Amino acid sequence: MKSWQNKRSNKSIEIRSKRSEYSNTMHSLPDFEHPSTPTIGLQNMIESTAIRYFREVTERGSIKRAAESLRIAPSAISRQVQGLEDELSVKLFERGARGMNLTNAGHLLYRYAQESQAKLDRVRAQVEEFDSLQRGHVKLATVEGLVASFVSDFVVDLSRDYPGISIAVTTVGSRGVAEMVGRHEVDLGLVFGRAPRRDLIELARMRQSLCLMVAPHHAMAGKDHCTIKELAGLRVILPDSSFGIRQEIDRACAKANVELDLYSETNSIAFARTMAAKTGLGTFLPRNAAMPELVAGTLVAIPLRDKRLEATQVTLVQLAARNTTPSSLRVAELLVDRMKQQTD
């Protein structure tokens, strides 16, 4: 992963790459060093006035609108933009009656400006957290099946032990979790199964065997376990194909040449649980995903005798090259410990 640093001189702007400090090693948390002195070179990373004005003109479409946004004289912006063009010996904008449009060279510089600002924002966030690892904000994406028990219990404990760390939780299917982690939209992700992308590292795994979930009055409720063959013709409500659970069930049924009677599919695990509890439909979930209903006695969990479905797991993932903040590192460590302690 490459990051960019802007280094001003009298004649040119040099853009150079720097290799990430973090390793891509599987199954390990990236190290985060706490410097005893202020971050070296931080001042050199502060965005120059010229780049800031250039970006504003690009986003506003004209020097006049950029000046209004920044509340400065248009002539000041014009001088800075002209200075950039002179310094780089290229034309950055095409001036027209309807505003200013980027040239090819301008597009290149704008991409650099965006990357530079994003890195500066990350560094600022880290620096602000150096004084205390007890505060910060962490974004977590997770499959919905973990929300009812595992994730909710974790967040309750986190809020008690680390009141200064806030956490935003988003629930999507496994594919959605991987995409959000890959696009830097979240710090950490919990997916059903293994990490589905090569740019993700696996920090921990937790076994989550799938069970058939039915209401206590269902014909199969008294079984100690059941095989895939015994599911033939069973009327079910299933998560849609974006869920790892659905993908595993489809594979197991196809391998056993078993066809389920699909009554409905949904993108909500909660809806699937409710329908199974209130009707004669069955569904497939790990125990953790239906813990409230199991405790209340409105659902019964029947273990599935299938090697693949008994070995299904949840994986904590992170982008391999992500610049980790102290708070997200701490939350990752806590999640890893919690997952090691969890029993199926």
Side-chain angles (χ1 to χ4, degrees):
M1 179 76 174
K2 291 187 176 181
S3 58
W4 302 99
Q5 183 177 24
N6 182 19
K7 191 173 182 181
R8 289 292 305 272
S9 70
N10 292 332
K11 294 183 179 180
S12 66
I13 293 178
E14 177 187 356
I15 302 175
R16 62 184 183 178
S17 64
K18 180 181 178 184
R19 186 174 296 275
S20 171
E21 295 177 346
Y22 301 121
S23 105
N24 292 348
T25 305
M26 296 290 287
H27 315 309
S28 64
L29 290 169
D31 294 330
F32 189 91
E33 297 184 1
H34 300 261
S36 57
T37 58
T39 307
I40 297 175
L42 180 59
Q43 291 300 320
N44 291 335
M45 295 177 65
I46 300 300
E47 187 178 43
S48 72
T49 300
I51 292 294
R52 182 161 58 94
Y53 288 2
F54 163 77
R55 194 180 68 246
E56 195 71 23
V57 172
T58 300
E59 293 171 355
R60 300 292 175 179
S62 74
I63 288 177
K64 180 181 178 182
R65 286 193 288 270
E68 291 172 351
S69 174
L70 296 171
R71 297 184 178 181
I72 59 175
S75 58
I77 295 180
S78 183
R79 283 195 300 271
Q80 291 290 343
V81 172
Q82 186 62 54
L84 270 179
E85 291 182 324
D86 293 343
E87 201 168 358
L88 296 171
S89 300
V90 293
K91 195 174 182 180
L92 298 174
F93 290 102
E94 293 288 351
R95 279 81 168 169
R98 295 185 178 180
M100 301 176 68
N101 298 309
L102 290 174
T103 61
N104 289 336
H107 279 291
L108 178 63
L109 183 62
Y110 181 58
R111 284 197 297 272
Y112 158 72
Q114 289 178 304
E115 292 167 357
S116 177
Q117 183 62 36
K119 179 167 185 177
L120 180 56
D121 289 342
R122 290 194 296 271
V123 171
R124 279 175 174 157
Q126 291 174 355
V127 170
E128 288 171 358
E129 291 182 23
F130 279 150
D131 61 339
S132 172
L133 292 181
Q134 307 301 309
R135 64 187 182 91
H137 184 66
V138 179
K139 296 178 181 179
L140 171 70
T142 178
V143 289
E144 188 188 349
L146 293 175
V147 173
S149 179
F150 179 79
V151 172
S152 59
D153 290 346
F154 174 79
V155 173
V156 168
D157 292 344
L158 181 72
S159 66
R160 181 192 64 228
D161 299 335
Y162 297 87
I165 297 180
S166 61
I167 185 166
V169 178
T170 302
T171 59
V172 287
S174 287
R175 293 174 185 170
V177 171
E179 289 172 1
M180 291 184 74
V181 176
R183 292 196 300 260
H184 297 266
E185 293 176 6
V186 294
D187 302 292
L188 300 163
L190 286 163
V191 300
F192 192 82
R194 300 292 301 272
R197 292 167 51 135
R198 293 184 178 180
D199 57 346
L200 304 182
I201 56 174
E202 297 183 342
L203 305 181
R205 298 186 197 129
M206 177 173 67
R207 185 171 170 177
Q208 292 281 281
S209 301
L210 287 179
C211 297
L212 169 63
M213 299 287 176
V214 295
H217 60 267
H218 195 281
M220 300 188 72
K223 285 182 168 289
D224 293 330
H225 63 270
C226 67
T227 65
I228 298 299
K229 288 289 187 182
E230 291 177 282
L231 299 176
L234 181 69
R235 204 169 195 217
V236 294
I237 177 171
L238 296 178
D240 66 36
S241 59
S242 69
F243 285 76
I245 292 173
R246 173 64 178 275
Q247 295 159 28
E248 290 294 339
I249 291 296
D250 285 350
R251 289 191 193 101
C253 288
K255 183 178 179 180
N257 197 27
V258 165
E259 187 173 346
L260 300 172
D261 181 5
L262 180 59
Y263 171 77
S264 177
E265 63 178 12
T266 176
N267 66 350
S268 169
I269 296 294
F271 181 70
R273 294 198 315 258
T274 300
M275 290 297 292
K278 292 184 175 182
T279 68
L281 299 173
T283 193
F284 301 96
L285 296 171
R287 289 181 185 272
N288 267 331
M291 194 56 67
E293 288 80 5
L294 294 175
V295 172
T298 57
L299 279 179
V300 176
I302 305 162
L304 296 171
R305 287 292 179 260
D306 179 89
K307 288 184 178 181
R308 185 182 182 101
L309 299 183
E310 290 179 90
T312 52
Q313 59 192 356
V314 168
T315 307
L316 176 65
V317 298
Q318 183 183 57
L319 192 62
R322 186 170 181 84
N323 213 1
T324 308
T325 64
S327 57
S328 63
L329 177 61
R330 185 61 184 141
V331 169
E333 290 171 343
L334 293 170
L335 276 170
V336 169
D337 289 343
R338 181 68 65 96
M339 292 172 75
K340 289 179 179 177
Q341 298 168 9
Q342 192 76 14
T343 56
D344 189 12

